[in-house]
Amino acid sequence: MRSIHGASETSGLRVRGLTVSYGRRGHAVPAVEAVDVDAAPGEIVAIVGESGAGKTSIGTALLDLVDPPGHWTAREVTLDGETIDYRTTHTRGRDVSVIFQDPQTALNPLFTVESQLVHMVRHHLGLDRGAAKRRAIEMLEEVGIPDAVARVGQYPHQFSGGMRQRVVIALALACRPRLVIADEPTSALDVSIRAQILALIRRLCREKGMACLLITHDMGAVAQISDRAVVMRDGRAVETGPTTRLLSGAQHPYSRALIAAVPPAHRRLPRFAVPDTGAAVTDAELERWLRDRPTAGGDTPLAVDELTKVFRLPGRLFGRGARAVRAVDAVSFALAPGEIFGLVGESGSGKSTLAQIAAGLRWPDAGEARVLGRRFGPTTPKAALRGYRQGLQMVFQDPYSSLNRRMTVLETILEPMADTPRAVGLRLVPALLERVGLPRDVARRHPHAFSGGQRQRIAIARALAGRPRVLICDEPTSALDVSIQAQILNLLKDLRDELGLSMLLITHDLPVVRQMCDRVGVMQSGRLVEMGPTERVFDAPEASYTQMLLTHLPRLPERQPAS
């Protein structure tokens, strides 16, 4: 095969008959089957679909990174009119580059950001060390990292998740590649940073003539920057077309169902109109047991009063430069019985820290939290935490990390049912699994045998097993596909309506807040800058910070009625 260097044509990417299979030949399972993809210079083509649709496998194949015994084939893979030569060391990085989904694993924790960027630039562009460092700083500034001159010498762990993703994007774009494969590039970013990064990718593609494959399940990102879209299902492209046409008038039933599952940001729906793959089943004994909860000690499910948490960051040598950060700064609010209260804000605003304090997982420095009349403050003894947490459960962002991998689903759900006779618990666990839309026969399996959406349902079942009156959900759907997210949100709404649960929903996904919450609080730099009924906050925000967040909301084209 010939190298793409020095190509005179500007035809961009052309792929014909791409097939990716995993497993040994003769026993291989196809992940992608005979897919065609084109991306002209400066054009952004979105590859959309749910987990397992084959989106990432397309990007992996085009980088020639399919691990054996997996393999890929294609009738044609050309860039700028010439066949890509994967044997040249400059193909990946300079000609074809990738923005990975998980910045934690994409960056080497043992090396500074400077060394990783400088190595990339020197290897591919042949610059001297001084010029390469200037290029590294320039790229960090382009992706919006403040004080880039000082931060370039830091290690990846010294950056927040959103900042690490920006560093990954800087690495991918540093050599101005001809083709950029962006694999879920904004999944870890806040709404404002997400808008900034998407705008940056779009601008650089336009200005530098880079073709881009945007691999994502974020339909808002698709609407915001892509020119065309390819909808994938079970390894096949079921529909392809201009983005505006596809979003407003998709023809394939799967495309229409995928778009219908996206939470609209500008209007509220009573319920998501998506098919539940696992229909919730009610059980009379389970319903009686769930409602027969311990007597509450107060009328207010959850309240925080002047809650404050200060983190003291160590300084450099001999403590110089040590500083204190007020992660939560005198925050107060209260949930009404049966209310869903949303807490929104960007990374570092203090949302998760506040949730951890409210759940009794972290001590406050001042103020207090109350759950059903029981108080938790700076002087609360550790022995009193068990009593404080009675009636409260938490659903975490990452269900895989929050589930014990060595325990079966049955053992996991039985654990919070310690006050229930084991014989009764063994009867209730299968019914509880059905209640959250899972089959009874999965109880003996371990967490690794489930998809992300199924694991989140298991986490919800475990939380319900504690018979809570208050449920704290910390980014419960951020890692899920839109249809699975819709199913989980429908489930949470049903549980609130049928069991009278009060919920604190922590998220940076504003469309989810509009669909789910009765009231919303907006946090910025540890402070609650605005609070009120959800519709009022969305339609007439008072705080300038809230107004800024809402300006970045993506809006999908209105679907045209079927003819």
Side-chain angles (χ1 to χ4, degrees):
M1 288 188 282
R2 292 185 297 165
S3 169
I4 61 176
H5 304 309
S8 59
E9 296 180 45
T10 56
S11 58
L13 175 71
R14 178 180 169 87
V15 179
R16 291 294 178 269
L18 177 66
T19 297
V20 184
S21 299
Y22 295 100
R24 300 190 180 279
R25 297 182 188 275
H27 301 282
V29 176
V32 177
E33 298 185 69
V35 169
D36 298 341
V37 180
D38 293 298
E43 183 182 36
I44 299 175
V45 177
I47 311 291
V48 301
E50 298 176 287
S51 296
K55 308 185 304 294
T56 297
S57 291
I58 291 175
T60 304
L62 294 178
L63 290 162
D64 195 31
L65 293 177
V66 177
D67 291 328
H71 57 279
W72 68 277
T73 60
R75 297 195 309 273
E76 177 184 353
V77 180
T78 59
L79 188 58
D80 291 341
E82 297 196 4
T83 301
I84 298 178
D85 187 352
Y86 292 103
R87 296 170 298 182
T88 64
T89 59
H90 290 293
T91 295
R92 284 191 296 267
R94 191 172 89 175
D95 296 316
V96 182
S97 191
V98 60
I99 301 170
F100 291 103
Q101 177 177 1
D102 184 5
Q104 188 72 22
T105 57
L107 297 171
N108 192 324
L110 301 180
F111 294 93
T112 64
V113 167
E114 176 184 338
S115 64
Q116 295 180 63
L117 274 166
V118 166
H119 173 77
M120 167 79 77
V121 172
R122 295 193 71 189
H123 176 71
H124 290 297
L125 300 184
L127 301 179
D128 61 40
R129 181 168 294 277
K133 182 175 180 179
R134 289 192 294 273
R135 177 71 165 166
I137 294 171
E138 173 190 329
M139 286 309 304
L140 293 184
E141 290 174 341
E142 279 203 47
V143 297
I145 293 181
D147 197 12
V149 174
R151 303 212 67 180
V152 71
Q154 294 181 328
Y155 288 86
H157 73 270
Q158 295 175 286
F159 291 79
S160 68
M163 289 290 188
R164 280 195 295 267
Q165 186 66 302
R166 289 193 243 181
V167 173
V168 169
I169 293 171
L171 274 167
L173 303 183
C175 299
R176 296 292 189 257
R178 300 172 187 232
L179 170 64
V180 177
I181 299 172
D183 189 1
E184 302 283 4
T186 60
S187 61
L189 303 182
D190 302 312
V191 60
S192 60
I193 305 304
R194 171 186 171 282
Q196 177 185 343
I197 293 301
L198 290 174
L200 173 66
I201 294 173
R202 180 175 57 188
R203 177 174 62 81
L204 290 177
C205 286
R206 299 286 193 269
E207 292 179 356
K208 307 301 178 182
M210 296 185 296
C212 178
L213 291 186
L214 175 65
I215 298 171
T216 184
H217 63 252
D218 183 350
M219 301 303 289
V222 173
Q224 191 169 343
I225 69 167
S226 72
D227 302 293
R228 290 187 299 113
V230 179
V231 180
M232 296 286 298
R233 185 184 190 188
D234 297 332
R236 294 184 176 274
V238 299
E239 189 166 359
T240 302
T243 299
T244 303
R245 195 274 299 164
L246 194 145
L247 292 178
S248 61
Q251 301 300 308
H252 195 278
Y254 176 74
S255 303
R256 293 198 296 267
L258 202 63
I259 294 167
V262 179
H266 299 82
R267 59 190 175 92
R268 184 163 182 159
L269 301 175
R271 189 174 178 83
F272 293 103
V274 295
D276 254 314
T277 54
V281 177
T282 58
D283 179 275
E285 182 184 16
L286 175 65
E287 298 303 312
R288 286 194 301 271
W289 180 82
L290 287 173
R291 286 178 168 80
D292 187 23
R293 296 173 289 195
T295 303
D299 294 332
T300 302
L302 172 66
V304 297
D305 296 320
E306 296 293 316
L307 206 61
T308 300
K309 179 65 182 178
V310 179
F311 290 111
R312 291 165 179 83
L313 304 181
R316 300 176 183 175
L317 190 62
F318 305 118
R320 293 175 182 171
R323 59 193 181 97
V325 175
R326 299 178 77 86
V328 181
D329 191 359
V331 172
S332 301
F333 64 82
L335 271 67
E339 179 184 37
I340 301 179
F341 182 84
L343 204 57
V344 303
E346 299 176 290
S347 296
S349 63
K351 308 185 305 295
S352 292
T353 301
L354 191 149
Q356 291 165 6
I357 295 172
L361 300 176
R362 193 186 291 275
W363 259 263
D365 292 311
E368 68 172 14
R370 300 193 312 276
V371 173
L372 300 169
R374 293 181 288 271
R375 299 174 182 274
F376 173 56
T379 61
T380 300
K382 190 173 183 178
L385 281 179
R386 180 177 175 84
Y388 168 78
R389 293 176 184 144
Q390 279 189 337
L392 179 146
Q393 289 289 329
M394 190 164 183
V395 178
F396 295 92
Q397 177 176 2
D398 182 2
Y400 195 63
S401 297
S402 64
L403 297 174
N404 190 325
R405 303 173 198 180
R406 298 183 179 181
M407 296 172 66
T408 65
V409 171
L410 177 65
E411 295 167 335
T412 296
I413 298 176
L414 279 175
E415 191 174 32
M417 301 170 69
D419 296 333
T420 300
R422 183 172 177 83
V424 176
L426 291 173
R427 291 199 309 270
L428 293 176
V429 169
L432 195 51
L433 289 171
E434 286 189 330
R435 187 69 184 80
V436 298
L438 291 171
R440 284 175 171 257
D441 59 8
V442 305
R444 300 289 178 179
R445 299 182 192 174
H446 288 79
H448 72 270
F450 298 90
S451 68
Q454 290 173 323
R455 283 197 290 263
Q456 194 63 291
R457 288 173 184 260
I458 294 168
I460 293 172
R462 179 185 59 182
L464 291 178
R467 291 192 285 184
R469 293 180 181 273
V470 181
L471 197 60
I472 299 177
C473 301
D474 188 5
E475 301 279 7
T477 62
S478 63
L480 304 181
D481 298 318
V482 288
S483 63
I484 304 300
Q485 172 182 265
Q487 294 169 21
I488 295 296
L489 295 178
N490 280 343
L491 173 62
L492 291 175
K493 276 188 175 183
D494 291 343
L495 294 173
R496 188 275 298 270
D497 295 340
E498 296 165 14
L499 300 177
L501 288 176
S502 301
M503 298 186 195
L504 175 61
L505 179 62
I506 312 290
T507 185
H508 62 252
D509 191 332
L510 294 175
V512 166
V513 168
R514 183 154 206 174
Q515 301 307 314
M516 291 291 295
C517 300
D518 304 297
R519 287 189 302 137
V520 61
V522 182
M523 290 194 68
Q524 180 188 22
S525 302
R527 298 189 66 85
L528 196 62
V529 297
E530 185 163 0
M531 182 170 62
T534 302
E535 292 301 295
R536 197 277 298 162
V537 171
F538 272 77
D539 291 337
E542 297 174 354
S544 58
Y545 177 72
T546 309
Q547 295 168 6
M548 181 276 294
L549 289 179
L550 294 175
T551 60
H552 294 298
L553 280 175
R555 186 165 190 168
L556 271 63
E558 291 294 331
R559 176 162 177 78
Q560 300 300 317
S563 57

